[in-house]
Structures are given as C-alpha cells and as structure tokens.
Coordinates of all heavy atoms in Angstrom, one line a residue:
Y956 N -54.9 -27.8 66.6 CA -55.4 -26.8 65.7 C -56.4 -25.9 66.5 O -56.5 -24.7 66.3 CB -56.1 -27.4 64.5 CG -56.8 -26.4 63.6 CD1 -56.1 -25.5 62.8 CD2 -58.2 -26.3 63.7 CE1 -56.8 -24.6 62.1 CE2 -58.9 -25.4 63.0 CZ -58.2 -24.5 62.2 OH -58.9 -23.6 61.4
R957 N -57.3 -26.5 67.2 CA -58.4 -25.8 67.9 C -57.8 -24.7 68.8 O -58.3 -23.6 68.8 CB -59.2 -26.8 68.7 CG -60.3 -26.2 69.5 CD -61.7 -26.4 69.0 NE -61.9 -27.5 68.2 CZ -62.5 -27.3 66.9 NH1 -62.8 -26.2 66.5 NH2 -62.7 -28.4 66.2
N958 N -56.7 -25.0 69.6 CA -56.2 -24.0 70.5 C -55.6 -22.8 69.7 O -55.8 -21.7 70.1 CB -55.1 -24.6 71.3 CG -55.6 -25.6 72.3 OD1 -56.8 -25.7 72.6 ND2 -54.7 -26.5 72.7
S959 N -54.9 -23.0 68.6 CA -54.4 -21.9 67.8 C -55.5 -21.1 67.2 O -55.5 -19.9 67.0 CB -53.4 -22.4 66.8 OG -54.0 -23.2 65.8
L960 N -56.6 -21.8 66.8 CA -57.8 -21.1 66.2 C -58.4 -20.2 67.2 O -58.7 -19.0 66.9 CB -58.8 -22.1 65.6 CG -60.1 -21.6 65.1 CD1 -59.8 -20.8 63.8 CD2 -61.1 -22.7 64.8
V961 N -58.6 -20.7 68.4 CA -59.3 -19.9 69.4 C -58.4 -18.7 69.8 O -58.9 -17.6 70.0 CB -59.6 -20.8 70.7 CG1 -60.0 -19.9 71.8 CG2 -60.7 -21.8 70.3
A962 N -57.1 -18.9 69.9 CA -56.2 -17.9 70.3 C -56.1 -16.8 69.2 O -56.1 -15.6 69.5 CB -54.8 -18.4 70.5
S963 N -56.1 -17.2 67.9 CA -56.0 -16.2 66.8 C -57.3 -15.4 66.7 O -57.3 -14.2 66.5 CB -55.8 -16.9 65.5 OG -54.5 -17.5 65.5
M964 N -58.5 -16.1 66.9 CA -59.7 -15.4 66.8 C -59.9 -14.4 68.0 O -60.4 -13.4 67.8 CB -60.9 -16.4 66.8 CG -61.0 -17.1 65.4 SD -62.2 -18.5 65.4 CE -63.7 -17.7 65.9
S965 N -59.5 -14.8 69.2 CA -59.6 -13.9 70.3 C -58.7 -12.7 70.2 O -59.0 -11.7 70.8 CB -59.4 -14.7 71.6 OG -58.1 -15.2 71.7
A966 N -57.6 -12.9 69.5 CA -56.7 -11.7 69.3 C -57.1 -10.8 68.2 O -56.5 -9.8 67.9 CB -55.3 -12.3 69.1
G967 N -58.1 -11.2 67.5 CA -58.6 -10.4 66.4 C -57.8 -10.6 65.1 O -57.8 -9.7 64.2
Q968 N -57.0 -11.7 65.0 CA -56.2 -11.9 63.8 C -57.1 -12.6 62.8 O -58.0 -13.4 63.1 CB -55.0 -12.8 64.2 CG -54.1 -12.1 65.1 CD -52.9 -13.1 65.5 OE1 -53.0 -14.3 65.3 NE2 -51.9 -12.5 66.1
P969 N -56.8 -12.4 61.5 CA -57.5 -13.1 60.4 C -57.2 -14.6 60.4 O -56.1 -14.9 60.7 CB -57.1 -12.4 59.1 CG -55.8 -11.7 59.5 CD -55.8 -11.4 60.9
V970 N -58.2 -15.4 60.2 CA -58.0 -16.8 60.2 C -58.7 -17.5 59.0 O -59.7 -17.1 58.6 CB -58.7 -17.4 61.5 CG1 -58.7 -18.9 61.5 CG2 -58.1 -16.8 62.7
V971 N -58.0 -18.4 58.4 CA -58.6 -19.3 57.4 C -59.0 -20.6 58.1 O -58.1 -21.3 58.5 CB -57.6 -19.6 56.2 CG1 -58.3 -20.5 55.3 CG2 -57.2 -18.3 55.5
P972 N -60.3 -20.8 58.4 CA -60.6 -22.0 59.2 C -60.3 -23.3 58.4 O -60.5 -23.4 57.2 CB -62.1 -21.8 59.4 CG -62.6 -20.9 58.3 CD -61.4 -20.0 57.9
Y973 N -59.9 -24.3 59.2 CA -59.7 -25.6 58.7 C -61.1 -26.3 58.6 O -61.6 -26.7 59.6 CB -58.7 -26.3 59.6 CG -58.4 -27.7 59.1 CD1 -57.8 -27.9 57.9 CD2 -58.6 -28.8 60.0 CE1 -57.5 -29.2 57.5 CE2 -58.2 -30.1 59.6 CZ -57.7 -30.3 58.3 OH -57.4 -31.5 57.9
L974 N -61.6 -26.3 57.4 CA -63.0 -26.8 57.3 C -63.2 -28.3 57.7 O -64.2 -28.6 58.3 CB -63.4 -26.7 55.8 CG -64.9 -26.9 55.5 CD1 -65.7 -26.0 56.3 CD2 -65.1 -26.7 54.0
A975 N -62.2 -29.1 57.5 CA -62.3 -30.5 57.9 C -62.5 -30.7 59.4 O -63.3 -31.5 59.8 CB -61.1 -31.3 57.5
G976 N -61.9 -29.8 60.2 CA -62.1 -29.9 61.6 C -63.5 -29.5 62.0 O -64.1 -30.2 62.9
H977 N -64.0 -28.5 61.4 CA -65.4 -28.1 61.7 C -66.4 -29.2 61.2 O -67.4 -29.4 61.9 CB -65.7 -26.7 61.1 CG -65.0 -25.6 61.7 ND1 -65.4 -25.1 62.9 CD2 -63.9 -24.9 61.3 CE1 -64.6 -24.1 63.3 NE2 -63.7 -24.0 62.3
L978 N -66.1 -29.7 60.0 CA -67.0 -30.8 59.5 C -67.0 -32.0 60.5 O -68.0 -32.6 60.7 CB -66.6 -31.2 58.1 CG -66.9 -30.1 57.1 CD1 -66.4 -30.6 55.7 CD2 -68.4 -29.8 57.0
K979 N -65.8 -32.3 61.0 CA -65.7 -33.5 61.9 C -66.5 -33.2 63.2 O -67.3 -34.0 63.6 CB -64.2 -33.7 62.3 CG -64.0 -34.8 63.3 CD -62.6 -34.8 63.8 CE -62.2 -33.6 64.5 NZ -62.0 -33.5 65.9
D980 N -66.4 -31.9 63.7 CA -67.2 -31.6 64.8 C -68.7 -31.6 64.6 O -69.5 -32.1 65.4 CB -66.8 -30.2 65.3 CG -65.4 -30.1 65.8 OD1 -64.8 -31.1 66.1 OD2 -64.9 -28.9 65.9
L981 N -69.1 -31.2 63.4 CA -70.5 -31.3 63.1 C -71.0 -32.7 63.0 O -72.1 -33.0 63.4 CB -70.8 -30.6 61.7 CG -70.8 -29.0 61.8 CD1 -70.9 -28.5 60.4 CD2 -72.0 -28.5 62.6
I982 N -70.2 -33.6 62.4 CA -70.6 -35.0 62.3 C -70.7 -35.6 63.7 O -71.7 -36.3 64.0 CB -69.6 -35.8 61.4 CG1 -69.8 -35.3 60.0 CG2 -69.8 -37.3 61.6 CD1 -68.7 -35.9 59.0
F983 N -69.7 -35.4 64.6 CA -69.8 -35.9 65.9 C -71.0 -35.4 66.7 O -71.6 -36.1 67.5 CB -68.5 -35.7 66.7 CG -67.3 -36.6 66.2 CD1 -66.0 -36.1 66.1 CD2 -67.6 -37.9 65.9 CE1 -65.0 -36.9 65.8 CE2 -66.5 -38.7 65.5 CZ -65.2 -38.2 65.4
A984 N -71.3 -34.1 66.5 CA -72.4 -33.5 67.2 C -73.7 -34.1 66.8 O -74.6 -34.4 67.6 CB -72.4 -32.0 67.0
D985 N -73.8 -34.4 65.5 CA -75.0 -35.0 64.9 C -75.1 -36.5 65.3 O -76.2 -36.9 65.8 CB -75.0 -34.9 63.4 CG -76.3 -35.5 62.8 OD1 -77.4 -35.1 63.3 OD2 -76.2 -36.3 61.9
E986 N -74.1 -37.3 65.1 CA -74.1 -38.7 65.3 C -74.0 -39.1 66.8 O -74.5 -40.1 67.3 CB -73.1 -39.4 64.5 CG -73.3 -39.4 63.0 CD -72.3 -40.0 62.2 OE1 -71.2 -40.5 62.8 OE2 -72.4 -40.1 61.0
G987 N -73.3 -38.2 67.6 CA -73.1 -38.5 69.0 C -74.3 -38.2 69.9 O -74.3 -38.6 71.1
N988 N -75.2 -37.4 69.4 CA -76.4 -37.0 70.2 C -77.6 -37.6 69.6 O -78.0 -37.3 68.4 CB -76.5 -35.5 70.3 CG -75.3 -34.9 71.0 OD1 -75.2 -35.1 72.2 ND2 -74.4 -34.3 70.3
T989 N -78.3 -38.5 70.3 CA -79.4 -39.2 69.8 C -80.7 -38.3 69.7 O -80.8 -37.3 70.4 CB -79.8 -40.4 70.6 OG1 -80.1 -40.0 71.9 CG2 -78.6 -41.4 70.7
T990 N -81.5 -38.7 68.8 CA -82.8 -38.0 68.7 C -83.9 -39.0 69.3 O -83.7 -40.2 69.2 CB -83.2 -37.7 67.2 OG1 -83.2 -38.9 66.5 CG2 -82.2 -36.7 66.6
R991 N -84.9 -38.4 69.9 CA -85.9 -39.2 70.5 C -87.2 -38.9 69.8 O -87.6 -37.7 69.7 CB -86.0 -38.9 72.0 CG -84.8 -39.4 72.8 CD -85.1 -39.3 74.3 NE -83.9 -39.7 75.0 CZ -83.1 -38.9 75.7 NH1 -83.5 -37.7 75.9 NH2 -82.1 -39.4 76.3
N992 N -87.9 -40.0 69.4 CA -89.2 -39.8 68.7 C -89.1 -38.9 67.5 O -90.0 -38.1 67.2 CB -90.3 -39.3 69.7 CG -90.5 -40.3 70.8 OD1 -90.3 -41.5 70.7 ND2 -90.8 -39.7 72.0
G993 N -87.9 -38.9 66.8 CA -87.8 -38.1 65.7 C -87.5 -36.6 66.0 O -87.5 -35.8 65.1
L994 N -87.3 -36.2 67.2 CA -87.1 -34.8 67.6 C -85.7 -34.6 67.9 O -85.0 -35.4 68.6 CB -88.0 -34.5 68.8 CG -89.5 -34.6 68.7 CD1 -90.2 -34.4 70.0 CD2 -90.0 -33.7 67.6
T995 N -85.1 -33.5 67.5 CA -83.7 -33.2 67.8 C -83.7 -32.5 69.2 O -84.5 -31.7 69.5 CB -83.2 -32.2 66.7 OG1 -83.3 -32.8 65.5 CG2 -81.8 -31.8 67.0
S996 N -82.7 -32.9 70.0 CA -82.6 -32.4 71.3 C -82.0 -31.0 71.3 O -81.3 -30.6 70.3 CB -81.7 -33.3 72.2 OG -80.3 -33.2 71.7
F997 N -82.3 -30.2 72.3 CA -81.9 -28.8 72.3 C -80.3 -28.8 72.5 O -79.7 -27.9 71.9 CB -82.5 -28.0 73.5 CG -82.1 -26.6 73.6 CD1 -82.5 -25.7 72.7 CD2 -81.1 -26.2 74.5 CE1 -82.1 -24.4 72.8 CE2 -80.7 -24.9 74.6 CZ -81.2 -24.0 73.7
E998 N -79.8 -29.7 73.2 CA -78.3 -29.8 73.4 C -77.6 -30.0 72.0 O -76.6 -29.3 71.7 CB -78.0 -30.9 74.3 CG -76.5 -31.0 74.6 CD -76.2 -32.1 75.6 OE1 -77.1 -32.8 76.1 OE2 -75.0 -32.4 75.8
K999 N -78.2 -30.9 71.2 CA -77.6 -31.2 69.9 C -77.7 -29.9 69.0 O -76.7 -29.5 68.4 CB -78.3 -32.3 69.3 CG -77.9 -32.7 67.9 CD -78.7 -33.9 67.4 CE -78.3 -34.4 66.0 NZ -79.1 -35.6 65.6
L1000 N -78.8 -29.3 69.0 CA -79.0 -28.1 68.2 C -78.1 -27.0 68.7 O -77.5 -26.2 67.9 CB -80.5 -27.6 68.3 CG -80.9 -26.4 67.5 CD1 -80.8 -26.8 66.0 CD2 -82.3 -26.0 67.8
S1001 N -77.9 -26.8 70.0 CA -77.0 -25.8 70.5 C -75.5 -26.1 70.1 O -74.8 -25.2 69.7 CB -77.1 -25.8 72.0 OG -76.2 -24.9 72.6
M1002 N -75.1 -27.4 70.1 CA -73.7 -27.7 69.7 C -73.5 -27.4 68.2 O -72.5 -26.8 67.9 CB -73.5 -29.2 70.0 CG -73.4 -29.6 71.4 SD -73.3 -31.3 71.7 CE -71.7 -31.7 71.1
V1003 N -74.5 -27.8 67.4 CA -74.3 -27.5 66.0 C -74.3 -26.0 65.7 O -73.5 -25.5 64.9 CB -75.5 -28.1 65.2 CG1 -75.5 -27.7 63.8 CG2 -75.3 -29.7 65.2
G1004 N -75.1 -25.2 66.5 CA -75.1 -23.8 66.3 C -73.8 -23.1 66.7 O -73.3 -22.2 66.1
K1005 N -73.2 -23.6 67.8 CA -71.9 -23.1 68.2 C -70.8 -23.4 67.2 O -70.0 -22.5 66.9 CB -71.5 -23.7 69.6 CG -72.2 -23.2 70.7 CD -71.8 -23.9 72.0 CE -72.6 -23.4 73.2 NZ -72.2 -24.1 74.4
I1006 N -70.8 -24.5 66.6 CA -69.8 -24.9 65.6 C -70.0 -24.0 64.4 O -69.0 -23.5 63.8 CB -69.9 -26.4 65.2 CG1 -69.6 -27.2 66.4 CG2 -69.0 -26.7 64.0 CD1 -70.0 -28.7 66.3
I1007 N -71.2 -23.8 63.9 CA -71.4 -23.0 62.7 C -71.1 -21.5 63.1 O -70.5 -20.8 62.2 CB -72.9 -23.1 62.2 CG1 -73.0 -24.5 61.7 CG2 -73.2 -22.1 61.2 CD1 -74.5 -24.9 61.3
S1008 N -71.4 -21.1 64.3 CA -71.1 -19.7 64.7 C -69.6 -19.5 64.7 O -69.1 -18.4 64.3 CB -71.7 -19.5 66.1 OG -71.3 -18.2 66.6
Q1009 N -68.8 -20.5 65.2 CA -67.3 -20.4 65.2 C -66.8 -20.2 63.7 O -65.9 -19.4 63.5 CB -66.7 -21.6 65.8 CG -66.8 -21.6 67.3 CD -66.1 -22.9 67.9 OE1 -65.9 -23.8 67.1 NE2 -65.9 -22.9 69.2
L1010 N -67.4 -21.0 62.9 CA -66.9 -21.0 61.5 C -67.2 -19.7 60.8 O -66.4 -19.1 60.1 CB -67.6 -22.1 60.7 CG -67.2 -22.4 59.3 CD1 -65.7 -22.7 59.2 CD2 -68.0 -23.6 58.7
M1011 N -68.4 -19.1 61.1 CA -68.8 -17.8 60.5 C -68.0 -16.7 61.1 O -67.6 -15.8 60.5 CB -70.3 -17.6 60.7 CG -71.1 -18.5 59.8 SD -72.9 -18.3 60.1 CE -73.1 -16.7 59.3
K1012 N -67.7 -16.8 62.4 CA -66.9 -15.8 63.1 C -65.5 -15.7 62.6 O -64.9 -14.7 62.6 CB -66.9 -16.0 64.6 CG -66.4 -15.0 65.5 CD -66.5 -15.3 66.9 CE -65.9 -14.2 67.8 NZ -66.0 -14.6 69.2
A1013 N -64.9 -16.9 62.2 CA -63.6 -16.9 61.7 C -63.4 -16.1 60.4 O -62.3 -15.6 60.2 CB -63.2 -18.4 61.5
G1014 N -64.4 -16.0 59.6 CA -64.3 -15.3 58.4 C -64.6 -13.8 58.4 O -64.6 -13.1 57.4
Q1015 N -64.9 -13.3 59.6 CA -65.3 -11.9 59.8 C -64.1 -10.9 59.7 O -64.3 -9.8 59.4 CB -66.1 -11.7 61.0 CG -67.5 -12.3 60.9 CD -68.3 -12.1 62.2 OE1 -67.8 -11.7 63.2 NE2 -69.6 -12.3 62.0
V1016 N -62.9 -11.4 60.2 CA -61.8 -10.5 60.2 C -61.1 -10.6 58.9 O -60.7 -11.7 58.4 CB -60.8 -10.8 61.3 CG1 -59.6 -9.9 61.3 CG2 -61.5 -10.8 62.7
S1017 N -60.9 -9.5 58.2 CA -60.3 -9.6 56.8 C -58.8 -9.5 56.9 O -58.2 -8.9 57.9 CB -60.8 -8.4 56.0 OG -60.5 -7.2 56.5
F1018 N -58.1 -10.0 55.9 CA -56.7 -10.0 55.8 C -56.3 -8.6 55.3 O -56.9 -8.1 54.4 CB -56.2 -11.1 54.9 CG -56.3 -12.5 55.4 CD1 -57.4 -13.2 55.3 CD2 -55.2 -13.0 56.1 CE1 -57.5 -14.5 55.8 CE2 -55.3 -14.3 56.7 CZ -56.4 -15.0 56.5
S1019 N -55.2 -8.1 55.8 CA -54.7 -6.8 55.3 C -53.3 -7.0 54.7 O -52.3 -7.0 55.4 CB -54.6 -5.8 56.4 OG -53.8 -6.2 57.5
F1020 N -53.3 -7.2 53.4 CA -52.1 -7.4 52.7 C -52.2 -6.7 51.4 O -53.3 -6.6 50.8 CB -51.6 -8.8 52.6 CG -52.6 -9.7 51.8 CD1 -52.5 -9.8 50.5 CD2 -53.5 -10.4 52.5 CE1 -53.4 -10.6 49.8 CE2 -54.4 -11.2 51.9 CZ -54.4 -11.3 50.5
Q1021 N -51.1 -6.2 50.8 CA -51.1 -5.6 49.5 C -50.8 -6.6 48.5 O -49.8 -7.4 48.6 CB -50.1 -4.4 49.5 CG -50.4 -3.3 50.5 CD -51.8 -2.7 50.2 OE1 -52.1 -2.4 49.1 NE2 -52.5 -2.4 51.3
P1022 N -51.5 -6.6 47.4 CA -51.2 -7.5 46.3 C -49.8 -7.2 45.7 O -49.5 -6.0 45.5 CB -52.3 -7.3 45.3 CG -53.0 -6.1 45.6 CD -52.7 -5.8 47.1
R1023 N -49.1 -8.2 45.4 CA -47.8 -8.1 44.7 C -47.9 -8.3 43.2 O -48.5 -9.3 42.8 CB -46.7 -9.0 45.4 CG -46.5 -8.6 46.8 CD -45.5 -9.5 47.5 NE -44.3 -9.8 46.7 CZ -43.4 -10.7 47.0 NH1 -43.6 -11.4 48.2 NH2 -42.4 -11.0 46.3
E1024 N -47.4 -7.4 42.5 CA -47.6 -7.3 41.1 C -47.0 -8.6 40.4 O -47.7 -9.2 39.5 CB -46.9 -6.1 40.5 CG -47.4 -5.7 39.1 CD -48.9 -5.4 39.1 OE1 -49.4 -4.8 40.0 OE2 -49.6 -5.8 38.1
E1025 N -45.9 -9.1 40.8 CA -45.3 -10.2 40.2 C -46.1 -11.5 40.4 O -46.2 -12.4 39.5 CB -43.8 -10.5 40.6 CG -43.6 -10.7 42.1 CD -43.4 -9.5 43.0 OE1 -43.7 -8.4 42.5 OE2 -43.0 -9.7 44.1
I1026 N -46.7 -11.6 41.6 CA -47.6 -12.8 41.8 C -48.8 -12.7 41.0 O -49.3 -13.7 40.4 CB -47.9 -12.9 43.3 CG1 -46.6 -13.2 44.1 CG2 -48.9 -14.0 43.6 CD1 -46.7 -13.1 45.6
L1027 N -49.4 -11.5 40.9 CA -50.6 -11.3 40.1 C -50.3 -11.7 38.6 O -51.1 -12.3 37.9 CB -51.2 -9.9 40.2 CG -51.8 -9.6 41.5 CD1 -52.1 -8.1 41.5 CD2 -53.1 -10.4 41.7
K1028 N -49.2 -11.2 38.1 CA -48.8 -11.5 36.7 C -48.6 -13.0 36.5 O -49.0 -13.5 35.5 CB -47.5 -10.8 36.4 CG -47.7 -9.3 36.1 CD -46.4 -8.7 35.7 CE -46.6 -7.2 35.5 NZ -45.3 -6.6 35.2
F1029 N -48.0 -13.7 37.5 CA -47.8 -15.1 37.4 C -49.1 -15.9 37.2 O -49.3 -16.7 36.3 CB -47.1 -15.7 38.6 CG -47.0 -17.2 38.6 CD1 -46.0 -17.8 37.8 CD2 -47.8 -17.9 39.4 CE1 -45.9 -19.2 37.8 CE2 -47.7 -19.3 39.4 CZ -46.8 -19.9 38.6
F1030 N -50.1 -15.5 38.0 CA -51.4 -16.3 38.0 C -52.3 -15.8 36.8 O -53.0 -16.6 36.3 CB -52.2 -16.1 39.3 CG -51.6 -17.0 40.4 CD1 -50.9 -16.5 41.4 CD2 -51.8 -18.4 40.3 CE1 -50.4 -17.3 42.4 CE2 -51.3 -19.2 41.3 CZ -50.6 -18.6 42.3
T1031 N -52.1 -14.6 36.3 CA -52.9 -14.2 35.2 C -52.3 -14.6 33.9 O -53.1 -14.7 32.9 CB -53.1 -12.6 35.2 OG1 -51.8 -12.0 35.2 CG2 -53.9 -12.2 36.3
N1032 N -51.1 -15.0 33.8 CA -50.4 -15.4 32.6 C -50.2 -16.9 32.5 O -49.5 -17.4 31.6 CB -49.1 -14.7 32.4 CG -49.2 -13.2 32.2 OD1 -50.2 -12.8 31.7 ND2 -48.2 -12.5 32.7
L1033 N -50.9 -17.7 33.4 CA -50.8 -19.1 33.3 C -51.5 -19.6 32.0 O -52.5 -19.1 31.6 CB -51.5 -19.8 34.5 CG -50.7 -19.7 35.8 CD1 -51.5 -20.3 36.9 CD2 -49.4 -20.5 35.7
W1034 N -50.9 -20.6 31.4 CA -51.6 -21.2 30.2 C -52.1 -22.6 30.7 O -51.6 -23.2 31.6 CB -50.7 -21.4 29.1 CG -49.4 -22.1 29.4 CD1 -48.3 -21.6 29.9 CD2 -49.2 -23.5 29.2 NE1 -47.3 -22.6 30.1 CE2 -47.9 -23.8 29.7 CE3 -49.9 -24.5 28.7 CZ2 -47.3 -25.0 29.6 CZ3 -49.4 -25.8 28.7 CH2 -48.1 -26.0 29.1
W1035 N -53.2 -23.0 30.1 CA -53.9 -24.2 30.5 C -54.0 -25.1 29.3 O -54.1 -24.7 28.2 CB -55.3 -23.8 31.0 CG -55.3 -22.9 32.1 CD1 -55.5 -21.5 32.0 CD2 -55.1 -23.2 33.5 NE1 -55.4 -21.0 33.2 CE2 -55.1 -21.9 34.2 CE3 -54.8 -24.3 34.2 CZ2 -54.9 -21.9 35.5 CZ3 -54.6 -24.2 35.5 CH2 -54.6 -23.0 36.2
L1036 N -53.9 -26.4 29.7 CA -54.0 -27.5 28.6 C -55.5 -27.9 28.6 O -56.1 -28.1 29.6 CB -53.2 -28.7 29.0 CG -51.7 -28.4 29.0 CD1 -50.9 -29.7 29.5 CD2 -51.2 -28.0 27.6
D1037 N -56.0 -28.1 27.4 CA -57.4 -28.7 27.3 C -57.3 -30.2 27.5 O -56.2 -30.8 27.6 CB -58.0 -28.3 26.0 CG -57.3 -28.8 24.7 OD1 -56.3 -29.6 24.9 OD2 -57.7 -28.4 23.6
S1038 N -58.4 -30.8 27.4 CA -58.5 -32.3 27.7 C -57.7 -33.1 26.7 O -57.0 -34.1 27.1 CB -59.9 -32.8 27.6 OG -60.7 -32.2 28.6
D1039 N -57.7 -32.7 25.4 CA -56.9 -33.5 24.4 C -55.4 -33.4 24.7 O -54.7 -34.4 24.6 CB -57.3 -33.0 23.0 CG -58.7 -33.3 22.6 OD1 -59.2 -34.3 23.2 OD2 -59.3 -32.6 21.8
D1040 N -55.0 -32.2 25.0 CA -53.5 -32.0 25.3 C -53.1 -32.8 26.6 O -52.0 -33.4 26.6 CB -53.2 -30.5 25.5 CG -53.3 -29.7 24.2 OD1 -53.2 -30.3 23.1 OD2 -53.6 -28.5 24.3
L1041 N -54.0 -32.7 27.6 CA -53.6 -33.5 28.8 C -53.6 -35.0 28.5 O -52.7 -35.7 29.0 CB -54.7 -33.2 29.9 CG -54.6 -31.8 30.5 CD1 -55.8 -31.6 31.4 CD2 -53.3 -31.7 31.3
R1042 N -54.5 -35.5 27.7 CA -54.5 -36.9 27.4 C -53.2 -37.3 26.6 O -52.6 -38.3 26.9 CB -55.7 -37.2 26.5 CG -55.9 -38.7 26.2 CD -57.2 -39.1 25.5 NE -58.3 -38.8 26.4 CZ -59.2 -37.9 26.2 NH1 -59.1 -37.1 25.1 NH2 -60.2 -37.7 27.0
S1043 N -52.8 -36.5 25.6 CA -51.6 -36.8 24.9 C -50.4 -36.8 25.8 O -49.5 -37.6 25.6 CB -51.5 -35.9 23.6 OG -51.4 -34.6 24.0
C1044 N -50.3 -35.8 26.7 CA -49.2 -35.8 27.6 C -49.2 -37.0 28.5 O -48.2 -37.6 28.8 CB -49.3 -34.5 28.5 SG -48.9 -33.0 27.7
S1045 N -50.4 -37.4 28.9 CA -50.5 -38.6 29.8 C -50.0 -39.9 29.0 O -49.3 -40.7 29.6 CB -51.9 -38.8 30.2 OG -52.1 -40.0 30.9
Y1046 N -50.4 -40.0 27.8 CA -50.0 -41.1 27.0 C -48.5 -41.1 26.7 O -47.8 -42.1 26.7 CB -50.7 -41.2 25.6 CG -52.2 -41.6 25.7 CD1 -53.1 -41.0 24.9 CD2 -52.6 -42.5 26.7 CE1 -54.4 -41.4 25.0 CE2 -53.9 -42.9 26.7 CZ -54.8 -42.3 25.9 OH -56.1 -42.7 26.0
Y1047 N -47.9 -39.9 26.5 CA -46.5 -39.8 26.3 C -45.7 -40.2 27.5 O -44.6 -40.8 27.3 CB -46.2 -38.3 25.9 CG -44.7 -38.1 25.6 CD1 -44.2 -38.5 24.4 CD2 -43.9 -37.5 26.6 CE1 -42.8 -38.3 24.2 CE2 -42.6 -37.3 26.4 CZ -42.0 -37.7 25.2 OH -40.7 -37.5 24.9
H1048 N -46.2 -39.9 28.7 CA -45.4 -40.2 29.9 C -45.9 -41.5 30.6 O -45.5 -41.8 31.7 CB -45.6 -39.1 30.9 CG -44.9 -37.8 30.5 ND1 -43.5 -37.7 30.5 CD2 -45.4 -36.7 30.0 CE1 -43.2 -36.5 30.0 NE2 -44.3 -35.8 29.7
D1049 N -46.7 -42.3 29.9 CA -47.1 -43.6 30.4 C -46.0 -44.5 30.6 O -45.2 -44.8 29.7 CB -48.2 -44.2 29.4 CG -48.8 -45.4 30.0 OD1 -48.7 -45.7 31.2 OD2 -49.4 -46.1 29.2
P1050 N -45.8 -45.1 31.8 CA -44.7 -46.0 32.1 C -44.8 -47.3 31.2 O -43.7 -47.8 30.9 CB -44.9 -46.4 33.6 CG -45.9 -45.5 34.1 CD -46.6 -44.9 33.0
K1051 N -45.9 -47.7 30.8 CA -46.0 -48.9 30.0 C -45.4 -48.6 28.6 O -44.7 -49.4 28.0 CB -47.5 -49.3 29.8 CG -48.1 -49.8 31.1 CD -49.6 -50.2 30.9 CE -50.3 -50.5 32.2 NZ -51.7 -50.7 32.0
R1052 N -45.7 -47.4 28.1 CA -45.1 -47.0 26.8 C -43.6 -46.9 26.9 O -42.9 -47.3 26.0 CB -45.7 -45.7 26.3 CG -45.3 -45.3 24.9 CD -45.7 -43.9 24.6 NE -44.9 -42.9 25.3 CZ -43.6 -42.6 25.0 NH1 -43.1 -43.1 23.9 NH2 -43.0 -41.7 25.7
L1053 N -43.1 -46.4 28.0 CA -41.7 -46.2 28.2 C -40.9 -47.5 28.3 O -39.7 -47.6 27.9 CB -41.4 -45.3 29.4 CG -41.9 -43.8 29.2 CD1 -41.7 -43.1 30.5 CD2 -41.2 -43.1 28.1
S1054 N -41.5 -48.5 28.9 CA -40.8 -49.8 29.1 C -40.8 -50.6 27.8 O -40.1 -51.6 27.8 CB -41.5 -50.6 30.2 OG -42.8 -50.9 29.8
L1055 N -41.5 -50.3 26.8 CA -41.5 -51.1 25.5 C -40.3 -50.9 24.7 O -39.5 -50.0 24.7 CB -42.7 -50.8 24.7 CG -44.0 -51.2 25.4 CD1 -45.2 -50.8 24.5 CD2 -44.1 -52.7 25.6

C-alpha cells in the first residue's frame, strides 16, 4: 500500500488514505522510540510529524468527478428501519425460532 500511496501522491492524483496504515505507523513511532526522563526525543517527534504530514497531504488533491443523478437518487430515497423494526426483523429471522 505504501508504494502505491507515494506514487499516487507524487503524481498529483487524488488519494483516499488508508487510515489503519497511518495509525499503525503512529503507534510504532510512539512505542518503538523510548522517552528518557519523561522527555520525548526529537527523532520520535520528527517521525510522528512526517506521518501526520503525509496524511494531511493525501487529502489536499480533490477528486474531479461529476455526480450521477441515479446514484444520488438511490441514496436520497433509502428508507431506514427504527430500532423496534430492526428488533422484530431480528426475532423473525432468529435460527432458534426457525428450528422449532
């Protein structure tokens, strides 16, 4: 993933960053670099800054696409079930009820 992200960003293409990858990098940067006397090292701070900078840079190029009317209609006309309806559907499809 990292190679395709760097290639897309360097080409100026819009990118939806994979947040889990950046969070993993942040965790490793934090846990893999020790603090001494309660002070954060400059190297650790620099690594965290680079990761956050990459994440923010990925969102700077906007996507250029035209909305399609049929897709907009689909999402705007969705109906939703409230909690009571969802519960009754769940009870209706319960395998224990079906096996009786």
Side-chain angles (χ1 to χ4, degrees):
Y956 172 76
R957 177 105 24 234
N958 294 339
S959 64
L960 175 67
V961 170
S963 296
M964 286 174 53
S965 63
Q968 296 176 346
V970 175
V971 177
Y973 181 56
L974 189 59
H977 291 283
L978 291 176
K979 176 188 66 111
D980 292 344
L981 284 171
I982 290 170
F983 284 143
D985 181 50
E986 292 179 353
N988 295 292
T989 59
T990 57
R991 292 190 181 116
N992 299 328
L994 301 174
T995 302
S996 67
F997 181 75
E998 183 180 354
K999 179 178 179 178
L1000 185 64
S1001 176
M1002 290 172 70
V1003 170
K1005 284 180 185 177
I1006 296 166
I1007 293 173
S1008 176
Q1009 285 178 347
L1010 188 58
M1011 292 179 69
K1012 189 176 179 183
Q1015 289 180 345
V1016 179
S1017 61
F1018 287 89
S1019 59
F1020 60 88
Q1021 297 299 319
R1023 292 180 45 190
E1024 199 61 37
E1025 63 270 13
I1026 295 173
L1027 288 173
K1028 284 182 184 178
F1029 173 78
F1030 283 108
T1031 56
N1032 294 329
L1033 284 176
W1034 54 275
W1035 302 98
L1036 297 174
D1037 61 7
S1038 296
D1039 293 333
D1040 292 335
L1041 287 171
R1042 184 176 293 111
S1043 59
C1044 286
S1045 175
Y1046 288 145
Y1047 179 77
H1048 293 286
D1049 184 18
K1051 293 176 188 174
R1052 188 192 69 79
L1053 295 174
S1054 64
L1055 294 177

